[in-house]
Amino acid sequence: MHIAHLLRKYNPAEWGGTETVIRQLCAGLRHDGVRSTVYCPAIPPPGVPDPLAESGCALRRFKAFLPVWGI
């Protein structure tokens, strides 16, 4: 089985709770024989290590436009 995880944004320099859950979820699924691929928008190189990639998660980045409007 192969599972795709689609993230609205992923920047290793802004690591938080959601990213930690995704990393642990991928590790748990891998333990059960399930492959995971994380899809997320492309960003300029963050200049910090990427914990998802280092933990063995397959990352696929794509071109995207994410508008941010203040309310």
Side-chain angles (χ1 to χ4, degrees):
M1 183 180 287
H2 192 130
I3 295 180
H5 306 275
L6 181 61
L7 301 181
R8 177 181 68 86
K9 70 177 190 78
Y10 171 58
N11 184 346
E14 299 174 2
W15 189 266
T18 300
E19 293 81 5
T20 300
V21 169
I22 292 293
R23 181 179 62 189
Q24 292 176 337
L25 177 61
C26 290
L29 289 170
R30 188 178 324 112
H31 177 63
D32 291 333
V34 178
R35 296 180 302 145
S36 294
T37 302
V38 177
Y39 291 90
C40 51
I43 60 169
V48 297
D50 189 334
L52 278 181
E54 289 176 353
S55 68
C57 293
L59 284 174
R60 299 290 181 261
R61 294 196 178 265
F62 55 87
K63 290 183 181 181
F65 173 68
L66 179 64
V68 177
W69 296 315
I71 296 180

